Amino acid sequence: MFRSRRTRERSADVEAGPDAEGTAPAAPRTSAADLLVQAFLALFGRRFRTLLTMVGISVGLAAALATLGITASAAGAVSDQFDALKATRVTVKYPSEPVAGVRPRPDGGDAQRVRGLNGVRTAGLVSKAGEQPVVSRLASGGSNDLPEGTVLAAQPDALPAMSAELTQGRWFDTGHDARRERVALIDTAAASRLTVDGGAGNSVIHVNGVAFSVLGVFRAPTGDTDLTGSVVVPYWAALQDPAGLGFAPAEMIIRTDLGAADQIGAEAPFALAPGAPDKLVALVPPDPRSLRQGVESQTRALFLGLAAVSLGVGALGVSNTAYVSVLERRSEIGLRRALGASRRAVAGQFCIESGLVGLAGGVVGTVLGIQITAVTCLAKNWLVVLDPVLTTAGPLVGLVVGLAAGLYPALAAARILPAETLRAGV
Amino acid sequence: MTDPAGGPAAGRAVDPAAGPAGGPALDPAPVIEMAGIAKTYPGPPPVHALTDVTLDIRPGRLAAIVGPSGSGKSTLLSVLGLLDVPTRGRYLLQGRDTTDLSERARTALRASTLGFVFQAFHLVPHLTCVQNVALPLVHLGVPRARRRPQAVAALESVGLGHRLDVRPTTLSGGERQRVAVARAIVHRPAVVLCDEPTGNLDTANSARVMDLLTGLVAQDRAVVVVTHEPEVAARADRVFKVVDGRVS
Ligand SMILES: Nc1ncnc2c1ncn2[C@@H]1O[C@H](COP(=O)(O)OP(=O)(O)O)[C@@H](O)[C@H]1O
Ligand SMILES: [Mg+2]
């Protein structure tokens, strides 16, 4: 419809020949403020349609913001976990055979040496039973109540260093170790299988037939395969091996300050074995920063793509509605042209209309996106991480998207001719 | 109806009945002069909608354009209204040659000197009556403070002073066309061009709208009415008959 008329006006323009501006009255210029008023009146007068269009942009923008917000918060939660548990843990492995004065299972004094290092919070030796133990509540029971269980011999400070949390009873201390007491701590999973309540030494479990009284129950950090379902006995057991468990070479578990892990990983072997530091292997966590970036760049790329798609769908909605509205308002546009509105004024009014819709949609979408992010984070128990720049950029993005989407319809509107008003039936 | 601006020929007696017979001595200078105007719509096939039209339109006169459907009446009105450009010929509006004007200049001249009434009213449905009537002032850039008083005065002059702030969609057809007449005169144009202004109205409302238009003539405006209706043509001082793009 537009096309045939456009060609006609083009030819009319050509026929109009050279500009006679000098002698003609100045072209009336509809002021920007008036265009804004006219745009607002049109949007308000057509509230229902305006609202529908706005919803399109709002949904797109809310989706975009929510994906960004949720990704950021999820990444934040992920890196929080790395920060708290992994990024501050250094493990030093002892050799499996005695070499150059370094023994596989050193005596308890070693922990003292690393504790003196700057940046170490706590440290303790741990050694894992090599044999699969039979853990039972009964002294001579043939039944293994903890078939998946492991036994660890650990210094008192090793458990907090591994981020275990006491839930019942008490930790054993260096006294228990020095007195070679047969006491044990068990993890909550093991406790429920053994139906042990951890109350003041009144529960006894048997490891390969040797009795240990349970001092307390702890909770292993999520995902820790060594501690989950384990029985922990004092470190002396690794040296004496009263139950014949065949303990593996020891590990020094060090909990460091945030950011000190690399440094401690380099220093600890020297502190522990000044003569042969290379016989010890220090495991340090990956740099938390690079880890976080890795997580974010992967998920971000995906979600940003999704966000762009949803915003694009919203923009298409605006563009389509604006175009339909131009078709519907042909007589209004022709009339305005007849009454003196320039092409630019007509295009301007329609651009402003889509821009306002985009802006309003942007504001609503931003609020919605923040709400969705907040509710999701609340449900997932994450800290809300939402860049404040995003929340201020949201309405602006809406405005820009609205303007861009309204550009083609606005140009189509500007092509409508004033002579249109004389067409019968319009 | 009052027009404080009056007109250059305000003092001269203009008796519509005297009309074309008034004699050349009494005839006011034409506000529009057309000579050899042709309009061809580029095809294919090209349509020669107007061929060699020569006519003039004078202030204080009601001119009617009649003719069969498809004869070129609307085309003639669109050329008269600077809504479209003729293919050939000379068109003087208030003595100014319009044929070489740029689109912007044509728009400016049209907005300031012409008023339009359409068969389909063309009222903007989301605007109130006052807002509709004020549209020419908006696009002419008249200062905002002057717009409402002027629009209200125009609406009062067509007997719709009580309908200022309602939407035109709540009005009857006759009332709507009167709003359109108010809009056509709110900026006091020299010429009011009407395309079948009574085409969608019943007899009573047609008469009322025609009364308004003849009232404009009494204020020394030029009024041009394209019409099918003999009663309307009968009121005209001058009747142009269009047949196959030719005017007689
Ligand atoms: N925009 C146009 N493009 C091509 N032909 C047109 C256009 N407008 C009118 N015509 C043709 O020009 C002739 C005159 O039309 P018009 O002026 O509308 O007649 P009327 O108003 O007397 O019915 C008709 O043959 C019509 O089909
Ligand atoms: Mg017609």
Side-chain angles (χ1 to χ4, degrees):
Chain A
M1 256 185 201
F2 288 123
R3 235 154 274 142
S4 66
R5 245 169 267 122
R6 180 172 24 156
T7 13
R8 256 181 282 134
E9 168 124 321
R10 284 240 176 95
S11 67
D13 281 346
V14 172
E15 286 155 22
D19 209 312
E21 210 100 287
T23 56
R29 194 161 273 148
T30 322
S31 74
D34 276 325
L35 290 182
L36 193 68
V37 170
Q38 294 297 317
F40 183 80
L41 288 173
L43 290 177
F44 188 74
R46 300 155 58 87
R47 302 183 261 290
F48 186 63
R49 173 150 324 213
T50 305
L51 213 69
L52 282 184
T53 323
M54 225 184 72
V55 165
I57 270 233
S58 301
V59 167
L61 211 84
L65 272 179
T67 44
L68 283 174
I70 291 170
T71 338
S73 303
V78 168
S79 38
D80 272 355
Q81 248 171 11
F82 286 128
D83 289 349
L85 297 181
K86 303 259 167 68
T88 57
R89 174 166 162 170
V90 174
T91 305
V92 180
K93 293 192 169 210
Y94 284 79
S96 47
E97 299 297 329
V99 275
V102 184
R103 283 175 290 144
R105 283 174 296 279
D107 63 44
D110 271 23
Q112 213 53 48
R113 288 184 218 156
V114 277
R115 251 181 241 136
L117 295 176
N118 203 5
V120 171
R121 291 205 174 153
T122 180
L125 284 163
V126 169
S127 178
K128 197 173 168 180
E131 312 288 323
Q132 184 63 45
V134 176
V135 180
S136 170
R137 291 212 66 182
L138 302 172
S140 53
S143 76
N144 190 352
D145 291 328
L146 214 55
E148 312 274 294
T150 53
V151 173
L152 294 171
Q155 289 189 299
D157 282 337
L159 283 165
M162 287 188 285
S163 298
E165 281 175 49
L166 191 71
T167 59
Q168 284 177 57
R170 48 166 301 202
W171 296 124
F172 47 66
D173 54 33
T174 45
H176 294 101
D177 199 12
R179 291 188 299 272
R180 298 185 183 175
E181 287 188 29
R182 291 201 291 223
V183 291
L185 295 163
I186 60 175
D187 144 80
T188 44
S192 67
R193 298 205 82 167
L194 294 165
T195 54
V196 163
D197 60 13
N202 50 12
S203 298
V204 173
I205 56 170
H206 298 84
V207 179
N208 285 359
V210 180
F212 287 82
S213 57
V214 176
L215 274 187
V217 177
F218 64 88
R219 188 188 301 116
T222 11
D224 189 318
T225 46
D226 281 344
L227 282 181
T228 304
S230 70
V231 173
V232 180
V233 298
Y235 184 68
W236 70 266
L239 303 174
Q240 308 287 320
D241 202 3
L245 290 165
F247 280 91
E251 295 179 354
M252 180 70 74
I253 310 295
I254 308 170
R255 180 63 58 187
T256 73
D257 287 335
L258 197 61
D262 275 347
Q263 177 79 9
I264 301 300
E267 289 174 0
F270 287 90
L272 292 170
D278 55 316
K279 301 299 177 210
L280 298 177
V281 180
L283 302 177
V284 295
D287 183 358
R289 277 171 297 258
S290 67
L291 201 63
R292 185 184 311 187
Q293 268 158 15
V295 170
E296 285 179 3
S297 64
Q298 279 174 8
T299 42
R300 269 252 171 104
L302 176 69
F303 282 111
L304 271 178
L306 289 176
V309 167
S310 51
L311 199 58
V313 170
L316 266 179
V318 173
S319 192
N320 185 59
T321 326
Y323 191 76
V324 168
S325 143
V326 167
L327 293 175
E328 284 174 353
R329 291 162 72 185
R330 264 184 13 248
S331 92
E332 176 194 336
I333 296 163
L335 173 83
R336 285 182 188 273
R337 296 275 280 117
L339 298 185
S342 63
R343 282 164 187 273
R344 200 180 298 181
V346 167
Q349 181 184 331
F350 274 81
C351 268
I352 292 172
E353 285 184 22
S354 333
L356 284 178
V357 169
L359 183 66
V363 171
V364 172
T366 304
V367 171
L368 263 176
I370 293 172
Q371 293 297 320
I372 293 171
T373 306
V375 167
T376 308
C377 290
L378 201 69
K380 294 256 178 193
N381 223 342
W382 296 337
L383 197 69
V384 179
V385 180
L386 195 58
D387 195 337
V389 170
L390 281 181
T391 61
T392 41
L396 274 180
V397 169
L399 174 70
V400 170
V401 167
L403 282 175
L407 195 64
Y408 177 73
L411 292 179
R415 273 190 237 118
I416 291 174
L417 300 179
E420 179 91 358
T421 44
L422 293 176
R423 268 168 38 100
V426 175
Chain B
M1 191 193 284
T2 54
D3 184 355
R12 210 180 310 165
V14 179
D15 179 8
L26 274 172
D27 256 4
V31 62
I32 288 175
E33 293 164 89
M34 270 186 170
I37 290 285
K39 176 69 186 179
T40 301
Y41 291 110
V47 179
H48 301 287
L50 293 178
T51 325
D52 194 23
V53 174
T54 299
L55 56 78
D56 51 39
I57 303 289
R58 293 170 192 267
R61 298 283 190 273
L62 177 67
I65 298 174
V66 299
S69 174
S71 58
K73 304 183 297 293
S74 295
T75 305
L76 177 56
L77 200 73
S78 71
V79 172
L80 281 169
L82 294 175
L83 299 170
D84 212 341
V85 214
T87 324
R88 212 170 337 105
R90 250 161 64 89
Y91 173 18
L92 303 186
L93 178 59
Q94 292 181 322
R96 182 199 304 272
D97 192 346
T98 66
T99 34
D100 285 338
L101 291 181
S102 70
E103 190 190 320
R104 280 176 48 128
R106 224 179 320 125
T107 302
L109 194 59
R110 174 174 69 231
S112 57
T113 53
L114 305 177
F116 295 93
V117 178
F118 306 99
Q119 175 173 5
F121 317 142
H122 290 326
L123 298 173
V124 180
H126 61 252
L127 299 179
T128 65
C129 291
V130 174
Q131 288 167 340
N132 265 288
V133 171
L135 274 184
L137 308 177
V138 169
H139 291 298
L140 267 173
V142 170
R144 209 160 307 163
R146 301 222 309 259
R147 290 180 203 158
R148 189 175 166 95
Q150 249 174 278
V152 169
L155 274 167
E156 280 168 352
S157 74
V158 299
L160 287 172
H162 58 299
R163 293 300 219 185
L164 300 178
D165 295 307
V166 301
R167 300 273 184 88
T169 40
T170 65
L171 302 182
S172 72
E175 287 174 314
R176 289 185 202 189
Q177 196 59 304
R178 276 147 62 200
V179 174
V181 170
R183 182 184 60 199
I185 59 172
V186 70
H187 54 305
R188 304 195 177 106
V191 184
V192 176
L193 302 167
C194 315
D195 190 24
E196 308 256 11
T198 59
N200 284 352
L201 303 182
D202 60 25
T203 323
N205 278 307
S206 293
R208 186 141 191 206
V209 166
M210 283 316 295
D211 287 345
L212 288 172
L213 294 178
T214 21
L216 298 179
V217 171
Q219 291 168 50
D220 252 337
R221 290 177 210 287
V223 178
V224 180
V225 182
V226 168
T227 186
H228 267 114
E229 291 158 53
E231 311 90 82
V232 173
R235 294 218 199 187
D237 305 300
R238 176 86 204 261
V239 177
F240 298 106
K241 204 165 160 46
V242 185
V243 179
D244 279 342
R246 289 174 195 279
V247 171
S248 56

